[in-house]
Amino acid sequence: MGEYQDELKKIAPATQELREHIPEVYEGFATIHRAVYQDGALSGGLKELIAVGIAINKGCLGCIASHTRGAARKGVTEEQMAETIGVAIQMGGGPSSIYGPQAWDSFKEFKERYG
């Protein structure tokens, strides 16, 4: 496993336990997730890029890992990811300049795995 795959696995047990206590919340979130990330006027890959930019600005490593994985699975290119990270850094300043490279590493890890 890679560092960012491990990041997702690390939160899985607590997520599963919490899901048992509030299943309706997680079912609702999963329904929204499926609806949002399918192709529409915007491709699913572009939507994942938007989510990566937000995750960088929020400083959420789990979100970065999840959405860079989604982007890799949907065929996002390195150039598209790099430009997205550039926009996130411009909009978020110093903190985003720290999370941006982490998003880049995460994307490369998942791109290697999912092609």
Side-chain angles (χ1 to χ4, degrees), residues 13-87:
T15 300
Q16 183 57 41
E17 183 178 344
L18 185 56
R19 181 177 285 156
E20 292 170 10
H21 291 281
I22 51 172
E24 299 86 7
V25 172
Y26 277 92
E27 289 168 15
F29 186 76
T31 298
I32 290 169
H33 189 275
R34 282 189 301 275
V36 166
Y37 291 99
Q38 61 184 303
D39 288 339
L42 300 176
S43 71
L46 179 56
K47 293 173 184 180
E48 291 289 1
L49 288 171
I50 293 167
V52 168
I54 293 168
I56 289 169
N57 278 280
K58 291 287 188 178
C60 176
L61 287 179
C63 300
I64 287 170
S66 178
H67 293 290
T68 56
R69 178 182 63 187
R73 286 178 170 168
K74 292 183 184 278
V76 166
T77 67
E78 286 188 353
E79 292 81 9
Q80 291 169 320
M81 183 59 70
E83 288 189 16
T84 297
I85 293 169
V87 171

Side-chain angles (χ1 to χ4, degrees), residues 4 13 59 63 65 77 99 107-108 113:
Y4 297 95
C63 300
T77 67
Y99 287 101
F107 177 70
K108 289 191 322 182
R113 180 169 185 180

